[in-house]
Amino acid sequence: MASAPQLVVEGELRSVNPATLELVGVVPVTPPEEVAGLVAEAANAQEKWGATSFDERRALLLRVARTLLERMDDIAATVTAETGKPIVESFTNELLLAVEQVVWLASHAERVLAPERLRFGIPYLAHKRAHVVYEPLGVLGIIAPWNFPFSIPLTQVAMAVAAGNAVVLKPSELTPLSGDWVARVFAEAGAPDGLVRVAQGAGETGGALVTAPGVAKLIFTGSGATGRRILASAAELLRPVVLELGSKDPMLVFEDADLRRAVDGALWGSFANCGQVCVGVERIYVARELHDRFVSELSRRATELRIGLGEDPGTELGPLISEQQRAKVEDLVSEAKERGAEAIVGGRRPALDLPGWFYEPTVLTGGDPAARIEREEVFGPVVTVRPFDDEDEAVALANASPYGLGASVWTRNPERARRVGARIDAGMVSTNDIGYSYGAGPAPWGGTKQSGFGRTHGKHGLFECSQIKLVDADSGRVPVLWWYPYSRGTLDGFKGVVELLHGDAKLRALWKHRRGLAQLVRRAVRAEVRGAALSSEEKSAP
Ligand code: NAD
């Protein structure tokens, strides 16, 4: 049996093809003590970039999109070599959706981040001229996973840059060459030097980025365990963090679903990218009357998936990313089987002439509902299927998870889809589809519960990358009545103001607090007169 290749050797990351175990390339590790220097370079670039017009930002993003098109074959080949994923998926899930996001940012960032006039709707603030403005934060630290090693960091970097920030990116140590492509694409598109820097390495380098001086905010995508560690270190510095973490997405198939489409969706949702998808389907709940047909059809189709080398355009299932990842999948499946689950298909390594970390697509049914596989993220080509009796039970099963990233509802009834969607505790619920919104510009991406917090993509993602600031331009001529001095009369006057503005008995309030209100009016007039006198003195001063 092939043994796991060593990943970090004498200051170098060795990127290994998980299907063939051949070396894809070698990248120098960024020593943790050099990360602060990269942040300083990015900060330098950001000073000018933060002051650019949206025309300049749009022009860069459109050049990035063009570069993606020119380089797509090279990028896809690198991604497939480093992850083993089918080459079709390197185009759909890595390139197509990255281009879509960049183009959306190019055409919408200006509108989303335009200063927004605030109208307070309060009589004594009617004279204010207030705006919310969205300013760049500075340098963002982006820490990325290996499962979508290009599209996740590329779209997050593009979002940060569109909002006027610079970025230091730390790609996964398992996919450093795909991560390098992100910076290369920006450089080839003519981005200012330093705008996108890359720190390569594992947790030590990532940890150095989390605490490096000058990082304004972190966007982390990865496991809950690492997310917790990052949040703890960032908390010491009161440094804000967006966390995009794992999940265990449910799929609810109702009795009125299109069975064929549901099976197609389940197959792709569970096994695309070898199941290593944060919004991958890991739990399927099917209306009892459809359950057996669904299981047998899904299982039959799973055995037909073509397993092999990602470079082959006909390959539908590649390997898992590492020996460790396969061992975790095997462990969870074997515990589930020990607790009574049945592997209708799969549950073992395929017989292939390849040394990599392959595992057969696996459909599990039955067994102990308290087995680990029902709660823990598998992140492999394994799905469990269970029946439900009614809508309430389906919703309860979907929500009985510590995670809440995505979910899907399969029904021909849009009313039911909306009703069930509203009851599911997740960041994103789709109907008769899965995960498509990652490539849709306006759609916010993110989860609830242990799937993290904050949003990437869409206008909410742009807001995450911005300092949201209130700025107003007051002429200074309207007196402020709640400033000093205080007196019994002022107190009575303000009681009157509250009751007049928000109480039901307005006439009674006017009469009851007439003295205090009159005093406020006199103060306002005196302040007005004093202000006018002062400004005419100023004007006539030599
Ligand atoms: P991981 O947590 O092992 O690693 C993620 C990144 O964090 C890597 O770059 C890693 O080097 C870095 N890292 C590790 N230790 C660190 C530390 N102490 N300080 C700073 N950085 C550190 O996750 P992974 O295995 O690469 O990714 C798989 C996980 O990511 C799954 O749980 C998956 O669901 C999740 N994921 C979530 C989303 C989402 O959008 N919510 C998207 C993709 C993947």
Side-chain angles (χ1 to χ4, degrees):
M1 195 184 96
S3 65
Q6 234 183 322
L7 206 67
V8 185
V9 182
E10 288 173 6
E12 287 183 332
L13 287 180
R14 300 169 65 80
S15 175
V16 169
N17 182 319
T20 61
L21 308 194
E22 286 164 4
L23 189 66
V24 182
V26 173
V27 173
V29 168
T30 309
E33 61 278 12
E34 287 179 15
V35 172
L38 296 181
V39 175
E41 287 169 24
N44 252 339
Q46 196 275 330
E47 254 184 53
K48 277 202 187 127
W49 183 250
T52 50
S53 67
F54 278 101
D55 281 345
E56 283 172 80
R57 295 187 202 169
R58 185 168 25 252
L60 173 62
L61 290 168
L62 291 176
R63 291 198 306 272
V64 166
R66 200 171 319 128
T67 310
L68 288 172
L69 289 175
E70 285 162 10
R71 297 297 234 148
M72 63 184 178
D73 286 316
D74 300 330
I75 297 168
T78 304
V79 170
T80 285
E82 285 198 306
T83 60
K85 70 174 64 183
I87 191 77
V88 172
E89 291 179 16
S90 288
F91 277 90
T92 52
N93 300 339
E94 301 279 354
L95 281 151
L96 175 62
L97 63 78
V99 177
E100 293 288 4
Q101 290 290 352
V102 170
V103 169
W104 184 83
L105 287 163
S107 43
H108 291 82
E110 178 170 15
R111 183 185 50 77
V112 171
L113 299 177
E116 195 185 317
R117 176 74 204 273
L118 282 194
R119 299 190 192 276
F120 295 119
I122 300 172
Y124 49 84
L125 297 181
H127 62 289
K128 294 280 183 192
R129 295 284 174 273
H131 286 86
V132 174
V133 294
Y134 300 95
E135 296 180 344
L137 289 169
V139 178
L140 302 194
I142 294 181
I143 300 179
W146 47 262
N147 65 331
F148 293 99
F150 184 73
S151 56
I152 289 179
L154 189 283
T155 59
Q156 293 178 352
V157 168
M159 178 179 79
V161 162
N165 304 286
V167 172
V168 176
L169 164 68
K170 212 297 283 167
S172 167
E173 62 276 28
L174 296 171
T175 51
L177 296 163
S178 304
D180 257 352
W181 265 116
V182 174
R184 276 174 73 182
V185 165
F186 272 84
E188 288 181 15
D193 187 36
L195 193 67
V196 181
R197 283 280 187 253
V198 174
Q200 293 283 11
E204 267 204 324
T205 306
L209 180 57
V210 172
T211 54
V215 172
K217 188 166 185 172
L218 295 150
I219 299 180
F220 170 75
T221 310
S223 64
T226 310
R228 279 186 184 82
R229 237 171 275 142
I230 288 178
L231 196 58
S233 332
E236 287 297 314
L237 302 164
L238 280 181
R239 186 164 284 177
V241 184
V242 170
L243 292 180
E244 297 282 7
L245 307 178
S247 193
K248 189 150 188 75
D249 283 5
M251 168 174 184
L252 305 184
V253 184
F254 286 92
E255 76 289 345
D256 64 345
D258 174 339
L259 182 64
R260 196 194 151 105
R261 184 177 171 97
V263 168
D264 284 348
L267 196 71
W268 187 80
S270 307
F271 304 131
N273 207 22
C274 202
Q276 303 165 115
V277 180
C278 52
V279 289
V281 173
E282 296 215 353
R283 303 177 285 147
I284 304 180
Y285 302 110
V286 189
R288 194 171 293 279
E289 54 263 57
L290 271 191
H291 176 267
D292 293 355
R293 271 163 65 209
F294 182 93
V295 169
S296 89
E297 195 52 16
L298 178 64
S299 306
R300 183 182 69 75
R301 299 281 308 283
T303 57
E304 291 170 3
L305 289 177
R306 289 186 297 267
I307 308 175
L309 282 178
E311 290 79 357
D312 178 346
T315 291
E316 291 165 325
L317 198 84
L320 288 146
I321 191 72
S322 64
E323 184 176 34
Q324 193 191 18
Q325 192 62 31
R326 183 167 69 178
K328 180 184 156 204
V329 171
E330 289 178 333
D331 183 40
L332 284 168
V333 170
S334 93
E335 197 243 11
K337 280 161 81 177
E338 274 162 29
R339 295 174 78 163
E342 185 189 354
I344 307 296
V345 290
R348 58 181 181 212
R349 301 174 185 184
L352 285 179
D353 267 350
L354 290 165
W357 320 121
F358 291 91
Y359 195 77
E360 284 188 3
T362 301
V363 178
L364 291 180
T365 59
D368 186 351
R372 280 172 54 212
I373 206 156
E374 302 287 341
R375 297 186 315 276
E376 293 180 25
E377 185 181 41
V378 181
F379 226 52
V382 179
V383 67
T384 59
V385 190
R386 285 184 182 276
F388 65 78
D389 286 312
D390 58 29
E391 208 170 288
D392 284 347
E393 189 190 4
V395 169
L397 286 165
N399 286 340
S401 165
Y403 295 106
L405 190 57
S408 59
V409 181
W410 300 72
T411 171
R412 286 192 174 97
N413 177 350
E415 167 56 28
R416 169 184 258 166
R418 272 190 291 274
R419 189 172 63 233
V420 172
R423 296 176 67 193
I424 294 180
D425 194 359
M428 300 165 291
V429 184
S430 54
T431 305
N432 301 319
D433 203 350
I434 294 156
Y436 73 92
S437 63
Y438 201 84
W445 187 265
T448 62
K449 300 194 273 187
Q450 292 190 17
S451 294
F453 43 75
R455 292 294 179 265
T456 53
H457 296 181
K459 69 177 179 187
H460 304 93
L462 285 165
F463 294 155
E464 290 280 5
C465 296
S466 305
Q467 188 65 259
I468 301 173
K469 190 193 234 181
L470 173 75
V471 180
D472 93 74
D474 188 320
S475 68
R477 285 197 291 271
V478 178
V480 183
L481 297 180
W482 53 85
W483 290 357
Y484 299 132
Y486 297 160
S487 69
R488 190 175 293 279
T490 333
L491 177 63
D492 184 47
F494 277 108
K495 278 185 186 172
V497 170
V498 176
E499 287 177 26
L500 257 182
L501 290 181
H502 301 289
D504 292 329
K506 298 198 188 298
L507 276 178
R508 212 181 70 189
L510 196 62
W511 178 250
K512 189 170 144 204
H513 300 291
R514 62 192 178 284
R515 289 196 183 82
L517 287 166
Q519 185 170 329
L520 289 184
V521 171
R522 278 198 299 279
R523 257 177 80 175
V525 172
R526 272 203 303 272
E528 196 72 66
V529 171
R530 211 171 39 239
L534 276 175
S535 63
S536 70
E537 266 173 39
E538 275 166 21
K539 269 188 210 144
S540 59

